[in-house]
Amino acid sequence: MAWLTQTLPRLHSLKILALVTIALVAFLAPSAAHAVDGEITYTGTNTTLTGDDVGAGPFNLGFTFDFYGTDYTQTYVNINGTLNFAANYSRYSNVPLNTAISGSNIADNSIYAFWDDLNTNGSQIIYYATIGSAPERKFVTQWTNIYFHGTSIQLGTFQVILYEGSDVVQIQYRDLLGGSRALGDSATVGIRKNNATSIQYSHNTASLTAEQAIRYTPNGSGGYTVNTNAPYELVYLAPVGAPTSPTLVNPTDGTSGVTLTPTFEWLPVASASTYTVLISTVSNFSSTVVNQTGITGTSYTPGSNLAAGTNYYWRVQAVNASGSSLSPTRSFTTGSANAAPSTPSNVASATLIGDVESSSLSGATLTATLADPDDAEQVRYRLQIATSSNFSVLVLDYRSPFGAEGDVSFTYGEEGGTYLVGTATTTLPVGDYYVRIRTEDDAAASSAWHTVSGVAFSLIDAPDTTPPTLSSISVTSLATSTATITWTTNEAGDSRVDYGTSSSYGSASTSASLGTSHTLHLSGLTPATTYHYRVQSADAASNTATSSDLTFTTDALPDETAPGISGITVSPESDQATVLWTTDELASSLVEYGPSTSYTASTTESDISPRVLSHAVTIPNLEACVTYHYRVRSIDASGNEVVGE
């Protein structure tokens, strides 16, 4: 028995990462994704075109579009597969694009997406819509599930897309259902300015393929560069409120050897009320083997065997009260009778089973045993994770590659398989999750689901182990006995200031309120003293951030004491005298004098900057033999004044 070791997406509250390791004897690679997989549905407006050989318009593009050097803001739509800029046109009989105009045999300034004799058969709709935002809007015209006139042959769905700004034209074919005629063997495809200037892709040649896109890009010289295998634009038009197009899951397109009773599966469409499954042996579904309506789930198993060794086509229609949308067509070939694989057994996980709470599922594993009663068949698993117990809301739907049956081990973080819902980097939010797993074989048969009972696991927030970040620490108000400390944090936290006359602190001011802006007032401080302080903030998880040691110095008390004066002496001369004195603090100098104690004169105040302790003031221009009275004045920096006589 071969062994298969596989890795599944790692689930946690951050991300599902991607890593896969597959060791096996042999495996089948999954089919390549289709061009239209993942298309986005937009609301289209009905052109109201019905019947035969009719056109409608003009319809506003919503922007200016340059086609062969001429600007247009409107276009006309023809039921027979053309888009016409200059005038309405409805002729059904196609000719080569270099044909000269004779009457109404052909129209200039037109896009010939699929010029043939077409018809809506009364129920099919041609839509148009302007989507996107300026300056990159797109004007989309869609012929939906159109038929060939006078027949029951269904052509399919095709579109013309006009691109704002780049003036690119893209013609693309979602479904081509009606054999060689749907591939263009009676149609003309291309673009035309006039009979001298046109680019014809094909005329009456079955050269188109389903999901093909043809892009015409202006070359700057009045013409176009053509890419006949351009990337498919993932757009689809449907009426307002209509469900989006279903994504088909099983059987995989192009699979051979499919069991005679396959389970047809598709992904849920949020707005669909029911689904219709169509299975046919002809690509245009002109006849059906199965036309099952009213399906409320997302799977269908035929009640009887399909024919062995037969090629089948299938598609699903999502339906609600506003309308419906058809999926693209997929095909498969049946083999012989086949037994379904067994439901996975021995399913176990220490993390994903048992309503386990976890903040991270990194490294979580789930083990199971896959088995199939048929010989030589390969198997794979399909794992679904949902937020609803009925799995109607999937967050992850993962299908592994094929491998041999046996024991398997799934470790989260894989890219090796196919994500039907989600990706390898899908982020899962906190909450409860449900898990189920089943076995699928390479004949498109599936086992029953093994569903983990109840809530399989719960994701919770990871423990917060990161402290707040402190910033903008400042002493915003300082006085003789008070100080105000402010700071900010990058998350809510409480507030604490430790302070004291040394780095041992000894005092604290606190606030239990959580916030990001912090203010604490300190009081009872000693004037003219240097204090050490630090700030702290702890978040709701008690992670604490502490600043480094910082300092501030309180203001001194106001100086209200006048200087003390001593040592007043005078040295008289013939016409002047010098007065000397000292003060016990820095102060200015001034002498008042006169023949009486009225002191009618004074010197100019000096020694202001800087003030001095030793004062010497000379009084000039004195009269000889006159007795003078004098006194000295000194003022300190606080304005306290002393007078000495």
Side-chain angles (χ1 to χ4, degrees):
M1 178 178 291
W3 290 78
L4 173 65
T5 301
Q6 299 168 304
T7 313
L8 281 183
R10 175 168 62 94
L11 306 179
H12 55 85
S13 57
L14 299 176
K15 285 187 176 180
I16 303 175
L17 301 178
L19 172 66
V20 62
T21 303
I22 307 169
L24 47 95
V25 174
F27 72 90
L28 298 179
S31 298
H34 287 271
V36 299
D37 288 345
E39 66 185 358
I40 301 172
T41 299
Y42 296 89
T43 298
T45 301
N46 191 343
T47 60
T48 69
L49 283 168
T50 60
D52 183 37
D53 301 337
V54 290
F59 302 113
N60 291 326
L61 302 178
F63 53 87
T64 300
F65 184 80
D66 181 302
F67 184 70
Y68 273 119
T70 301
D71 287 343
Y72 297 95
T73 59
Q74 296 178 317
T75 189
Y76 297 84
V77 179
N78 176 7
I79 202 169
N80 291 319
T82 68
L83 208 65
N84 313 100
F85 289 109
N88 199 359
Y89 184 72
S90 60
R91 186 176 178 87
Y92 70 91
S93 181
N94 69 306
V95 296
L97 293 185
N98 62 358
T99 302
I101 290 181
S102 176
S104 61
N105 66 326
I106 195 170
D108 289 341
N109 304 306
S110 298
I111 299 170
Y112 292 86
F114 197 102
W115 186 19
D116 202 338
D117 192 7
L118 307 180
N119 195 294
T120 60
N121 273 15
S123 61
Q124 312 310 311
I125 298 175
I126 301 173
Y127 295 106
Y128 71 93
T130 300
I131 62 175
S133 302
E136 297 180 342
R137 289 168 289 190
K138 305 178 185 72
F139 182 82
V140 183
T141 308
Q142 175 178 293
W143 288 258
T144 312
N145 303 320
I146 208 79
Y147 281 79
F148 291 101
H149 178 66
T151 74
S152 60
I153 301 174
Q154 190 173 22
L155 162 59
T157 298
F158 61 93
Q159 300 170 331
V160 172
I161 305 175
L162 309 180
Y163 293 78
E164 180 183 16
S166 65
D167 299 314
V168 166
V169 176
Q170 180 150 312
I171 308 171
Q172 58 186 34
Y173 304 89
R174 185 178 190 264
D175 292 307
L176 296 175
L177 304 175
S180 62
R181 188 169 182 185
L183 303 182
D185 73 358
S186 63
T188 299
V189 176
I191 60 176
R192 169 183 166 115
K193 178 181 181 181
N194 51 45
N195 65 295
T197 305
S198 64
I199 302 176
Q200 180 173 285
Y201 173 76
S202 64
H203 172 67
N204 293 348
T205 304
S207 57
L208 298 173
T209 58
E211 302 179 9
Q212 180 181 3
I214 305 172
R215 174 169 290 207
Y216 300 85
T217 303
N219 60 14
S221 302
Y224 293 84
T225 300
V226 184
N227 181 356
T228 60
N229 190 30
Y232 193 95
E233 189 74 51
L234 295 174
V235 299
Y236 185 76
L237 302 185
V240 61
T244 58
S245 172
T247 298
L248 305 185
V249 173
N250 191 61
T252 305
D253 190 47
T255 302
S256 60
V258 171
T259 181
L260 304 185
T261 55
T263 297
F264 294 87
E265 292 181 287
W266 54 96
L267 296 182
V269 175
S271 58
S273 55
T274 63
Y275 301 92
T276 298
V277 173
L278 301 167
I279 305 171
S280 177
T281 56
V282 289
S283 63
N284 64 359
F285 292 84
S286 56
S287 61
T288 57
V289 175
V290 173
N291 187 343
Q292 182 63 53
T293 62
I295 300 171
T296 56
T298 56
S299 64
Y300 169 77
T301 302
S304 58
N305 287 355
L306 300 178
T310 303
N311 190 53
Y312 286 93
Y313 302 88
W314 72 290
R315 57 184 177 178
V316 175
Q317 184 177 39
V319 181
N320 66 17
S322 298
S324 63
S325 294
L326 269 170
S327 73
T329 298
R330 299 289 179 252
S331 65
F332 63 92
T333 302
T334 53
S336 57
N338 173 71
S342 304
T343 302
S345 60
N346 303 322
V347 178
S349 173
T351 309
L352 303 180
I353 296 176
D355 194 12
V356 177
E357 286 189 349
S358 179
S359 61
S360 173
L361 299 182
S362 176
T365 59
L366 183 150
T367 57
T369 301
L370 307 183
D372 190 299
D374 296 312
D375 293 333
E377 282 195 334
Q378 293 194 314
V379 292
R380 63 187 174 195
Y381 68 85
R382 183 173 173 190
L383 176 75
Q384 291 185 339
I385 300 174
T387 57
S388 56
S389 59
N390 63 357
F391 292 84
S392 60
V393 184
L394 295 174
V395 294
L396 193 76
D397 191 351
Y398 177 81
R399 172 184 276 168
S400 75
F402 279 112
E405 62 180 338
D407 294 331
V408 291
S409 176
F410 313 132
T411 302
Y412 280 93
E414 121 163 36
E415 281 183 336
T418 302
Y419 287 92
L420 304 172
V421 174
T423 68
T425 57
T426 295
T427 299
L428 295 184
V430 169
D432 295 336
Y433 291 91
Y434 302 84
V435 174
R436 65 181 181 181
I437 184 173
R438 77 176 186 193
T439 309
E440 299 176 347
D441 67 20
D442 55 11
S446 303
S447 73
W449 289 100
H450 173 92
T451 302
V452 176
S453 178
V455 174
F457 65 90
S458 298
L459 288 179
I460 59 176
D461 285 323
D464 180 7
T465 59
T466 304
T469 299
L470 307 174
S471 60
S472 303
I473 303 170
S474 177
V475 181
T476 59
S477 177
L478 191 62
T480 58
S481 61
T482 61
T484 300
I485 314 298
T486 64
W487 70 96
T488 61
T489 52
N490 65 331
E491 63 172 312
D494 62 11
S495 307
R496 178 185 176 95
V497 174
D498 295 312
Y499 63 99
T501 56
S502 72
S503 57
S504 298
Y505 310 112
S507 299
S509 177
T510 63
S511 172
S513 298
L514 299 182
T516 57
S517 296
H518 307 266
T519 300
L520 285 179
H521 303 283
L522 312 184
S523 59
L525 305 177
T526 302
T529 301
T530 296
Y531 282 87
H532 294 256
Y533 76 98
R534 67 184 181 189
V535 303
Q536 287 186 340
S537 285
D539 61 20
S542 298
N543 300 303
T544 301
T546 304
S547 74
S548 61
D549 181 66
L550 304 166
T551 62
F552 65 84
T553 301
T554 53
D555 292 342
L557 289 171
D559 180 7
E560 298 178 349
T561 303
I565 291 180
S566 62
I568 301 173
T569 61
V570 63
S571 299
E573 299 179 25
S574 60
D575 61 350
Q576 66 181 20
T578 299
V579 181
L580 305 173
W581 73 97
T582 60
T583 54
D584 60 2
E585 65 173 306
L586 296 173
S588 62
S589 307
L590 181 145
V591 176
E592 296 176 322
Y593 62 97
S596 69
T597 55
S598 297
Y599 308 113
T600 57
S602 71
T603 62
T604 302
E605 185 180 10
S606 61
D607 299 323
I608 297 174
S609 179
R611 287 175 164 80
V612 297
L613 297 174
S614 298
H615 306 264
V617 176
T618 298
I619 305 171
N621 304 317
L622 299 177
E623 295 181 14
C625 299
V626 175
T627 297
Y628 285 87
H629 297 263
Y630 72 97
R631 63 185 179 187
V632 300
R633 289 180 179 271
S634 287
I635 303 173
D636 65 16
S638 298
N640 301 302
E641 184 180 25
V642 64
V643 178
E645 298 184 14

